[in-house]
Amino acid sequence: MLQIRQTPAVIGIDADPGTYSITQPKAEVNVTTTPGQLTVQSTRPELTVDQSRAWEAYNGGKMLDMNKRIYTGIQQLYLQGIAIKVEQGNRMAQFFRPGNTIAEVYGTDTEPNSFPEVCGPASYDNVDIHIETKEPQIDFRAAKVDIQVERRNPEIEYTRGKLNIYMQQYASIRFIPPELNVQL
């Protein structure tokens, strides 16, 4: 019997994959900030105290004001004196009536005329206090942020792998003949 032995062909493949190298530089970021500003301007309150009426009640106040009060008071006293003299004259014109005698009309007028009041009227409300306040002036400027970004493109490198194809084993066919008996 004839034997046939066959060896198949074997192809060898040696492959290394390719490699990627990707690098990307960082982006450059510039941030510029303008700070906010708050300005508050306030004025002090103004306090005004007017105590001139209190001084007028205590000691007559300023000389000019005291002289005005005396002058107007003397005018009033003068007019009152004239009115009293006119009334006395009218009573004396009617001397025939009872009670209008010279002694009764002029005899009761023994009190001296008073001097006008040099001081102003006294009151618990003679001091005027006035407080004036003003609103503060507020000026606000908001902060500003300016962001500048400079991006960098990625750098990509590809290194090709190797590919080696070779015959690891060649195909072969072997015929093995049967043994022959040569003795005859």
Side-chain angles (χ1 to χ4, degrees):
M1 194 185 294
L2 179 65
Q3 289 186 3
I4 300 173
R5 290 193 181 167
Q6 179 179 356
T7 305
V10 176
I11 297 176
I13 299 175
D14 184 14
D16 289 334
T19 57
Y20 279 102
S21 172
I22 301 175
T23 57
Q24 183 172 11
K26 289 185 177 181
E28 187 175 320
V29 179
N30 292 325
V31 179
T32 306
T33 303
T34 304
Q37 185 175 10
L38 175 65
T39 306
V40 179
Q41 293 180 349
S42 61
T43 56
R44 292 184 176 199
E46 292 182 18
L47 173 66
T48 306
V49 178
D50 182 11
Q51 56 186 5
S52 60
R53 289 186 299 163
W55 285 113
E56 287 174 4
Y58 292 145
N59 60 9
K62 295 181 181 177
M63 186 60 77
L64 182 64
D65 295 334
M66 186 169 55
N67 285 340
K68 284 182 184 177
R69 276 193 302 280
I70 291 172
Y71 177 73
T72 57
I74 287 177
Q75 265 185 334
Q76 291 298 322
L77 288 177
Y78 180 74
L79 291 175
Q80 287 173 1
I82 290 177
I84 289 172
K85 295 297 178 193
V86 168
E87 180 188 348
Q88 287 175 344
N90 288 340
R91 282 180 66 194
M92 286 305 294
Q94 297 177 0
F95 63 93
F96 51 88
R97 288 192 175 177
N100 284 346
T101 63
I102 291 176
E104 290 176 348
V105 172
Y106 291 113
T108 59
D109 188 18
T110 59
E111 293 188 22
N113 290 335
S114 66
F115 196 72
E117 183 66 40
V118 294
C119 294
S123 172
Y124 68 90
D125 195 25
N126 274 351
V127 178
D128 293 326
I129 298 174
H130 180 69
I131 299 174
E132 184 178 339
T133 59
K134 294 181 181 176
E135 292 183 7
Q137 295 176 351
I138 299 173
D139 184 27
F140 175 70
R141 187 180 72 207
K144 294 181 181 176
V145 178
D146 183 26
I147 300 174
Q148 298 287 330
V149 178
E150 186 176 329
R151 66 179 181 87
R152 309 267 193 241
N153 290 330
E155 298 171 359
I156 302 171
E157 291 182 11
Y158 176 71
T159 305
R160 193 173 8 184
K162 70 174 184 176
L163 179 60
N164 188 7
I165 301 174
Y166 58 92
M167 287 300 292
Q168 188 173 355
Q169 177 178 325
Y170 289 100
S172 64
I173 296 177
R174 244 176 59 190
F175 295 99
I176 302 173
E179 286 185 27
L180 292 178
N181 195 358
V182 239
Q183 292 187 359
L184 275 174

XYZ file of all heavy atoms in Angstrom, residues 114-157:
355
model
N -45.665 152.121 84.569
C -44.655 151.050 84.511
C -43.817 151.191 83.238
O -44.266 151.750 82.241
C -45.324 149.681 84.552
O -46.084 149.497 83.386
N -42.578 150.660 83.368
C -41.679 150.659 82.217
C -42.007 149.430 81.367
O -42.374 148.384 81.900
C -40.229 150.618 82.718
C -39.233 150.999 81.673
C -39.111 152.316 81.261
C -38.420 150.043 81.083
C -38.192 152.678 80.299
C -37.507 150.397 80.109
C -37.388 151.724 79.731
N -41.907 149.520 80.054
C -42.224 148.337 79.242
C -41.296 147.157 79.575
O -40.180 147.334 80.027
C -42.015 148.790 77.806
C -41.569 150.178 77.829
C -41.497 150.637 79.251
N -41.793 145.986 79.330
C -41.039 144.753 79.588
C -39.860 144.679 78.607
O -40.044 144.749 77.400
C -41.949 143.535 79.423
C -41.301 142.225 79.724
C -40.927 142.085 81.193
O -41.696 142.502 82.068
O -39.833 141.562 81.452
N -38.644 144.532 79.160
C -37.462 144.466 78.297
C -37.146 143.035 77.889
O -36.417 142.814 76.939
C -36.239 145.094 78.994
C -36.440 146.568 79.195
C -35.921 144.391 80.281
N -37.656 142.078 78.622
C -37.395 140.661 78.315
C -38.521 140.112 77.459
O -39.659 140.575 77.518
C -37.274 139.849 79.596
S -35.848 140.300 80.591
N -38.194 139.110 76.705
C -39.191 138.449 75.881
C -40.032 137.510 76.731
O -39.757 137.279 77.914
N -41.074 136.924 76.146
C -41.930 136.021 76.914
C -41.186 134.720 77.251
O -40.452 134.180 76.432
C -43.106 135.757 75.980
C -42.584 136.031 74.614
C -41.533 137.085 74.762
N -41.394 134.254 78.476
C -40.768 133.003 78.899
C -41.653 131.835 78.480
O -42.877 131.901 78.593
C -40.578 133.001 80.412
N -40.997 130.777 77.964
C -41.736 129.595 77.511
C -40.800 128.399 77.530
O -39.581 128.547 77.446
C -42.262 129.826 76.092
O -42.821 128.634 75.578
N -41.367 127.234 77.661
C -40.550 126.016 77.620
C -40.065 125.724 76.201
O -39.176 124.926 76.000
C -41.341 124.822 78.163
C -42.497 124.411 77.278
C -42.341 123.471 76.275
C -43.752 124.976 77.438
C -43.385 123.109 75.451
C -44.805 124.619 76.632
C -44.622 123.680 75.647
O -45.647 123.327 74.835
N -40.657 126.402 75.232
C -40.335 126.132 73.828
C -39.548 127.281 73.212
O -39.712 127.610 72.045
C -41.640 125.892 73.058
C -41.400 125.258 71.703
O -40.366 124.587 71.549
O -42.241 125.436 70.801
N -38.678 127.933 73.994
C -37.918 129.073 73.492
C -36.656 128.678 72.740
O -36.027 129.537 72.152
C -37.545 130.003 74.644
C -38.652 130.997 74.934
O -39.600 131.105 74.184
N -38.534 131.716 76.029
N -36.247 127.425 72.788
C -35.042 126.976 72.092
C -35.481 126.152 70.880
O -36.215 125.179 71.014
C -34.135 126.139 73.016
C -32.922 125.645 72.251
C -33.709 126.954 74.219
N -35.053 126.603 69.689
C -35.379 125.885 68.450
C -34.184 125.034 68.060
O -33.071 125.543 67.909
C -35.691 126.862 67.315
C -36.961 127.643 67.575
O -37.881 127.081 68.183
O -37.020 128.832 67.172
N -34.422 123.745 67.880
C -33.374 122.813 67.453
C -33.788 122.262 66.098
O -34.891 121.740 65.935
C -33.192 121.665 68.467
C -32.759 122.241 69.815
C -32.173 120.663 67.964
C -32.690 121.213 70.916
N -32.876 122.412 65.144
C -33.158 121.944 63.781
C -31.980 121.091 63.316
O -30.831 121.523 63.370
C -33.357 123.141 62.851
C -33.656 122.748 61.439
N -34.831 122.159 61.056
C -32.917 122.852 60.305
C -34.804 121.916 59.768
N -33.641 122.335 59.287
N -32.288 119.888 62.888
C -31.253 118.981 62.378
C -31.530 118.752 60.897
O -32.618 118.336 60.519
C -31.255 117.637 63.131
C -30.967 117.866 64.605
C -30.234 116.692 62.536
C -31.095 116.637 65.453
N -30.519 119.034 60.084
C -30.663 118.832 58.641
C -29.697 117.743 58.205
O -28.486 117.845 58.402
C -30.355 120.126 57.899
C -30.574 120.011 56.407
C -30.313 121.324 55.682
O -30.360 122.382 56.318
O -30.049 121.265 54.469
N -30.265 116.698 57.653
C -29.437 115.591 57.156
C -29.577 115.521 55.644
O -30.603 115.901 55.083
C -29.879 114.254 57.776
O -31.252 114.016 57.444
C -29.714 114.263 59.271
N -28.529 115.041 55.007
C -28.538 114.860 53.553
C -28.267 113.399 53.252
O -27.526 112.730 53.968
C -27.470 115.739 52.893
C -27.740 117.215 53.041
C -26.680 118.046 52.354
C -26.957 119.525 52.541
N -25.896 120.353 51.963
N -28.875 112.931 52.198
C -28.665 111.539 51.802
C -27.232 111.351 51.309
O -26.663 112.235 50.676
C -29.623 111.145 50.680
C -31.064 111.084 51.093
C -31.951 110.610 49.956
O -31.428 110.204 48.900
O -33.168 110.653 50.137
N -26.659 110.191 51.587
C -25.297 109.959 51.074
C -25.331 109.765 49.558
O -26.302 109.271 49.002
C -24.864 108.676 51.792
C -26.137 108.008 52.169
C -27.152 109.090 52.392
N -24.250 110.180 48.921
C -24.122 109.988 47.483
C -23.352 108.689 47.263
O -22.194 108.562 47.657
C -23.385 111.155 46.846
C -24.138 112.459 46.947
C -23.340 113.620 46.395
O -22.168 113.493 46.090
N -23.988 114.764 46.265
N -24.025 107.728 46.641
C -23.439 106.403 46.446
C -23.171 106.216 44.955
O -24.068 106.376 44.135
C -24.377 105.305 46.980
C -24.606 105.512 48.477
C -23.807 103.930 46.705
C -25.644 104.597 49.069
N -21.930 105.891 44.635
C -21.534 105.641 43.247
C -20.928 104.242 43.199
O -19.977 103.955 43.917
C -20.511 106.691 42.794
C -20.150 106.520 41.326
O -20.985 105.996 40.570
O -19.029 106.903 40.937
N -21.503 103.390 42.364
C -21.035 102.007 42.274
C -20.665 101.692 40.838
O -21.430 101.961 39.907
C -22.124 101.044 42.751
C -21.741 99.601 42.577
C -20.767 99.034 43.359
C -22.344 98.818 41.597
C -20.401 97.714 43.193
C -21.987 97.503 41.427
C -21.019 96.953 42.227
N -19.459 101.160 40.656
C -19.013 100.695 39.345
C -18.743 99.207 39.486
O -17.926 98.790 40.309
C -17.756 101.433 38.916
C -17.368 101.100 37.474
C -16.125 101.833 37.046
N -15.003 101.220 37.746
C -13.892 101.841 38.048
N -13.730 103.096 37.747
N -12.914 101.216 38.672
N -19.443 98.419 38.693
C -19.326 96.961 38.797
C -17.952 96.493 38.314
O -17.307 97.138 37.488
C -20.415 96.284 37.959
N -17.531 95.380 38.848
C -16.254 94.786 38.437
C -16.393 94.209 37.024
O -17.464 93.771 36.624
C -15.847 93.694 39.414
N -15.293 94.231 36.297
C -15.278 93.669 34.940
C -14.219 92.584 34.883
O -13.113 92.756 35.392
C -14.970 94.746 33.904
C -16.035 95.793 33.775
C -15.672 96.798 32.717
C -16.729 97.875 32.611
N -16.362 98.915 31.650
N -14.578 91.467 34.278
C -13.646 90.362 34.106
C -13.499 90.110 32.609
O -14.483 89.899 31.911
C -14.148 89.090 34.819
C -13.191 87.947 34.580
C -14.327 89.342 36.300
N -12.261 90.161 32.130
C -11.980 89.914 30.718
C -11.140 88.638 30.640
O -10.040 88.576 31.189
C -11.222 91.105 30.127
C -10.973 90.928 28.643
O -11.748 90.202 27.989
O -9.992 91.502 28.118
N -11.675 87.628 29.980
C -10.993 86.335 29.873
C -10.608 86.113 28.407
O -11.468 86.108 27.529
C -11.899 85.187 30.371
C -12.276 85.425 31.827
C -11.199 83.853 30.208
C -13.281 84.425 32.359
N -9.312 85.955 28.168
C -8.789 85.667 26.833
C -8.194 84.257 26.866
O -7.321 83.970 27.677
C -7.686 86.670 26.454
C -8.147 88.110 26.390
C -9.003 88.365 25.168
O -8.836 87.718 24.143
N -9.939 89.286 25.293
N -8.675 83.401 25.985
C -8.183 82.022 25.932
C -7.537 81.800 24.571
O -8.156 82.020 23.530
C -9.348 81.017 26.148
C -8.831 79.600 26.043
C -10.025 81.254 27.477
N -6.283 81.359 24.596
C -5.589 81.015 23.357
C -5.404 79.503 23.373
O -4.629 78.957 24.146
C -4.232 81.719 23.303
C -3.538 81.517 21.980
C -2.231 82.302 21.919
O -2.144 83.367 22.547
O -1.312 81.803 21.246
N -6.164 78.833 22.532
C -6.132 77.363 22.557
C -4.997 76.855 21.673
O -4.566 77.528 20.742
C -7.462 76.783 22.114
C -7.821 77.047 20.685
C -9.161 76.415 20.330
N -9.484 76.642 18.948
C -9.103 75.870 17.951
N -8.369 74.812 18.197
N -9.437 76.143 16.700
N -4.541 75.676 21.979
C -3.471 75.028 21.218
C -4.071 73.771 20.573
O -4.783 73.003 21.222
C -2.325 74.607 22.129
C -1.822 75.712 23.023
C -0.667 76.437 22.363
N 0.011 77.273 23.328
C 0.110 78.574 23.227
N -0.439 79.173 22.199
N 0.748 79.275 24.119
N -3.743 73.551 19.304
C -4.228 72.360 18.611
C -3.466 71.138 19.117
O -2.284 71.218 19.460
C -4.018 72.490 17.099
C -4.940 73.538 16.501
O -6.033 73.760 17.000
N -4.494 74.181 15.431
N -4.140 69.995 19.143
C -3.434 68.784 19.583
C -2.392 68.365 18.540
O -2.566 68.563 17.342
C -4.549 67.742 19.708
C -5.682 68.255 18.907
C -5.558 69.735 18.867
N -1.305 67.799 19.033
C -0.244 67.287 18.155
C -0.352 65.765 18.142
O -0.152 65.117 19.166
C 1.124 67.737 18.685
C 1.279 69.247 18.691
C 2.532 69.699 19.424
O 3.274 68.834 19.941
O 2.748 70.920 19.491
N -0.672 65.225 16.969
C -0.911 63.782 16.842
C 0.209 63.183 15.985
O 0.464 63.658 14.869
C -2.284 63.500 16.190
C -3.394 64.145 17.031
C -2.515 62.016 16.037
C -4.754 64.110 16.385
N 0.863 62.161 16.509
C 1.896 61.444 15.752
C 1.507 59.970 15.718
O 1.099 59.394 16.721
C 3.264 61.589 16.429
C 3.830 62.986 16.365
C 5.209 63.061 17.006
O 5.795 62.000 17.308
O 5.660 64.188 17.226
